[in-house]
């Protein structure tokens, strides 16, 4: 039986059906999964009111997405749930790969110190959704979260989007200036608009089983190619909170999903993996690989994010992480446009930047799938040769692919970023690197001090005077060094900031904490021009 208690959220009659006056909503978000809720919280924190519509009234059934990367945790931290997720989750950074009965390679995803967030945590999606719902409740003055509100119609008219919504109390219509579709891989919004995915569907089937048991497996990612307990196929094991373990087993393209999900078929397979039958099934699913996306994510006033925009295979933890990074990219842009501080054309850069991210994820995911499931004798010979050599040779280890794990996408070369001179440690387009700092004698973290707006980071140098309004300046100095009056000041007590950013440089950072431009001279006019460019106001 499921370990997690799926308690329904309360349904409330919407004001449109309760006789209340309703105007146009700035933003309607369809889907209250992690991506939709993260979008709502981000916009609310930026002062934008949103309504969230979901056809269900509980969190997602089963653990689903469980691997949350460092970059995604940093985003969640800005949204107010990162620390809670880390506290509950299983932290890990080591992965081990096995071929048959021998370990061929292991890797460490975060060998250096000095980061607030770990390389990865494992945490079931239902907990993530629960925490986000509770955080949204703290922002209820700007987030109208409506359960059992199913969107059944959509029409774009004259700069607005009209939605038709069905509820237990009847149907109603509402207007929104912008709609964000976060309604999943089978997106009804996508179907309503006659849009389809392009890409590749793999025939291979995999079994996912969450089992509850007492065990001493370490907090690591274990992946097997052709293990003795599942010959000729592959397997994956992850530890989750609450004594829940995720086990993935390759089944082959001819497997019958309905048969394979039956407990009498699942239990013997799991018993072979762990060597005993002292466990309980918590959740079971069978899936196929897909690596597909929409041609465009922005369709006038309707914007797609997460699985409604793109799908990848689960190996590599690129689905949920990619979706959170979608709305992190979108939120600040949409907020600026709604407030009249940037032109509507800024939203087109979401298409540019997140299609780049989706294509990167799809490329790695497709390569992982091909390596894991060779389709010809030649492909299998190559795969087995790489695995045989990887125990002793670095070059072969770089070819082993059991799912290239999610990393932050660089936006280098995209429209909003300035050119790079090739000399700074971080280039325009890269995500900020965290580092330990001190503020007023108390320990803190650089990303937290930077915040969620436009930031000028001055590392071991003075920022210029006459900077544009709305630009938050953070000066980083060595302990005891003097700082410019009137700007935020942090001390690089361990020298990590200077090592990761380079002393004497100024970084213009976007609200999603990606670098927009790097300077070695403190020219206020040049910085203002780069900020204007990064806001799409040229």
């Amino acid at each position: 039986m499921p370990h997690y208690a799926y308690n329904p959220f309360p349904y409330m009659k919407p004001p449109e059906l309760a006789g209340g006056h309703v105007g146009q909503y700035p933003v309607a978000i369809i889907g209250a999964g992690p991506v939709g809720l993260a979008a709502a919280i981000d916009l609310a924190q930026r002062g934008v009111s949103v309504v969230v519509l979901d056809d269900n009234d509980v969190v997602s059934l089963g653990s689903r997405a469980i691997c949350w990367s460092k970059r995604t945790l940093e985003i969640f931290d800005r949204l107010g749930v990162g620390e809670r997720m880390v506290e509950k989750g299983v932290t890990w950074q080591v992965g081990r790969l096995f071929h048959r009965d021998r370990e061929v390679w292991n890797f460490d995803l975060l060998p250096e110190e000095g980061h607030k967030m770990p390389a990865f945590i494992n945490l079931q999606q239902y907990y993530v959704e629960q925490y986000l719902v509770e955080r949204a409740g703290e922002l209820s003055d700007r987030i109208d979260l409506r359960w059992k509100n199913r969107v059944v119609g959509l029409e774009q008219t004259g700069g607005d989007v009209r939605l038709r919504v069905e509820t237990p109390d009847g149907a109603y219509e509402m207007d929104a200036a912008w709609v964000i579709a976060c309604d999943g891989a089978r997106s009804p919004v996508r179907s309503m608009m006659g849009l389809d995915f392009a890409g590749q569907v793999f025939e291979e089937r995999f079994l996912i089983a969450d089992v509850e048991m007492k065990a001493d497996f370490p907090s690591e990612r274990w992946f097997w190619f052709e293990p003795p307990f599942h010959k000729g196929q592959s397997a994956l094991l992850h530890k989750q909170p609450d004594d829940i373990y995720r086990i993935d087993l390759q089944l082959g393209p001819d497997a019958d999903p309905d048969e394979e999900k039956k407990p009498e078929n699942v239990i013997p397979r799991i018993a072979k993996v762990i060597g005993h039958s002292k466990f309980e099934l918590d959740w079971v699913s069978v899936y196929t690989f897909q690596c597909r996306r929409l041609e465009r994510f922005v369709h006038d006033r309707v914007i797609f994010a997460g699985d409604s925009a793109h799908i990848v295979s689960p190996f590599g933890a690129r689905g949920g992480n990619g979706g959170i990074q979608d709305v992190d990219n979108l939120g600040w842009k949409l907020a600026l446009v709604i407030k009249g501080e940037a032109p509507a054309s800024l939203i087109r850069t979401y298409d540019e930047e997140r299609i780049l991210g989706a294509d990167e994820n799809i490329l790695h995911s497709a390569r992982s799938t091909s390596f894991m499931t060779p389709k010809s004798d030649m492909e299998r010979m190559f795969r087995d040769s790489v695995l045989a050599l990887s125990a002793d040779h670095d070059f072969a280890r770089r070819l082993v692919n059991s799912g290239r794990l999610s990393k932050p996408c660089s936006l280098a070369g995209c429209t909003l970023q300035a050119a790079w001179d090739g000399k700074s440690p971080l280039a325009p387009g890269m995500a900020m690197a965290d580092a330990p700092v001190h503020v007023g004698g108390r320990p803190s973290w650089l990303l937290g001090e930077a915040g969620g707006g436009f930031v000028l980071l001055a590392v071991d140098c003075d920022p210029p005077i006459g900077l544009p309004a709305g630009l938050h300046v953070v000066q980083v100095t060595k302990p005891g060094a003097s700082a410019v009056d009137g700007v935020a000041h942090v001390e690089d007590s361990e020298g990590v900031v200077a090592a990761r950013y380079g002393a004497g440089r100024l970084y213009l950072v976007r609200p999603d904490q990606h670098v927009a431009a790097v300077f070695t001279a403190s020219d206020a006019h040049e910085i203002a021009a780069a900020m204007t460019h990064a806001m799409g106001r040229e």
Side-chain angles (χ1 to χ4, degrees), residues 126-145:
Y126 44 73
Y127 280 121
V128 177
E129 292 184 17
Q130 174 192 330
Y131 298 165
L132 289 169
V133 169
E134 291 168 1
R135 174 63 179 146
E138 297 171 356
L139 301 167
S140 59
D141 58 329
R142 292 200 179 105
I143 299 177
D144 181 359
L145 182 49

Side-chain angles (χ1 to χ4, degrees), residues 332 416-418 424 426-432 450 453-459 467-474 501 505-521 523-535:
W332 67 274
L416 298 182
Q417 279 61 250
S424 60
L426 292 184
M430 295 177 66
M432 281 185 72
F454 274 96
V455 178
L456 183 69
L457 188 68
V459 183
L467 291 167
L471 179 60
H472 177 51
V473 180
V474 177
Y501 288 80
R505 288 183 171 84
L506 298 99
Y507 288 83
L508 177 66
V509 181
R510 305 175 353 166
D512 57 4
Q513 297 190 335
H514 280 260
V515 175
V518 186
F519 309 92
T520 53
D523 185 321
H525 295 292
E526 188 178 3
I527 292 169
M531 182 173 170
T532 297
H533 179 76
M535 297 173 73

Side-chain angles (χ1 to χ4, degrees), residues 196-468:
D196 198 6
F197 278 154
Q200 188 175 7
V201 178
F202 295 87
E203 296 180 354
E204 201 67 43
R205 296 188 188 276
F206 274 75
L207 172 76
I208 293 179
D210 279 359
V211 300
E212 183 178 359
M213 64 179 179
K214 298 292 184 181
D216 57 358
F217 290 107
S219 300
E220 299 175 346
R221 180 186 193 262
W222 286 10
F223 191 99
W224 290 267
F225 295 96
E226 301 180 314
F229 54 77
H230 195 53
K231 292 185 178 180
Q233 307 283 16
S234 58
L236 174 69
L237 182 144
H238 270 288
K239 183 178 182 179
Q240 302 178 69
D242 306 326
D243 294 322
I244 302 291
Y245 286 81
R246 160 72 63 82
I247 297 171
D248 292 49
L249 295 173
Q250 183 182 356
L251 298 177
D254 299 325
D256 182 329
D258 293 331
E259 285 295 316
E260 295 295 347
K261 286 190 290 186
K262 292 179 179 179
E264 60 266 31
N265 294 322
V266 175
I267 290 173
R269 291 187 186 279
I270 302 302
K272 288 182 180 179
V273 177
I274 61 178
H276 61 79
S277 57
K278 296 177 182 178
F279 61 86
E280 290 186 13
L281 291 180
D282 188 74
W283 176 65
V284 176
S285 183
V286 174
Y287 63 89
T288 56
F289 287 152
Q290 296 186 50
C291 294
R292 304 194 293 161
R293 68 166 174 85
L294 287 171
E295 181 181 357
R296 291 182 292 115
F297 298 168
V298 178
H299 293 261
D300 197 6
R301 293 296 180 115
V302 179
I303 305 167
F304 291 84
D307 286 351
S308 70
H310 45 75
I311 305 177
V312 294
S313 75
F315 292 101
R318 295 177 175 273
N321 289 292
I324 298 302
Q325 291 167 33
D326 283 348
V327 294
D328 182 56
N329 185 286
L330 176 62
W332 67 274
K333 297 174 181 178
L334 194 53
L336 288 177
V337 171
I338 289 170
K339 294 176 181 179
E341 298 174 13
S345 58
L346 179 63
I347 303 302
R348 291 201 295 266
T349 66
Y350 168 76
D351 235 357
E352 176 191 19
E353 294 179 348
R354 289 315 300 163
I355 284 176
L356 173 68
D359 284 347
E360 181 179 291
N361 285 336
I362 287 171
L363 174 65
H364 286 298
S365 185
R367 285 177 174 173
S368 298
T369 304
S370 296
F371 190 87
M372 291 161 51
T373 60
K375 298 300 184 294
S376 67
D377 291 341
M378 185 61 69
E379 287 184 359
R380 184 171 294 277
M381 184 182 301
F382 170 77
R383 200 271 308 271
D384 291 349
S385 297
V386 167
L387 291 171
L389 291 168
S390 60
D392 301 310
H393 300 283
D394 286 340
F395 81 90
R397 292 170 187 167
R398 291 192 292 270
L399 299 173
V400 176
N401 197 336
S402 65
R404 296 285 188 233
L405 289 156
S406 176
K407 292 183 178 180
C409 173
S410 172
L411 306 176
C414 291
T415 301
L416 298 182
Q417 279 61 250
W420 184 45
D421 63 6
K423 297 178 181 178
S424 60
L426 292 184
M430 295 177 66
M432 281 185 72
D434 204 3
V437 295
H438 275 78
V439 181
R442 63 172 176 83
S444 186
W445 295 95
L446 184 62
L447 295 188
E449 297 302 323
F454 274 96
V455 178
L456 183 69
L457 188 68
V459 183
D460 288 338
C461 62
D462 290 340
I465 59 173
L467 291 167

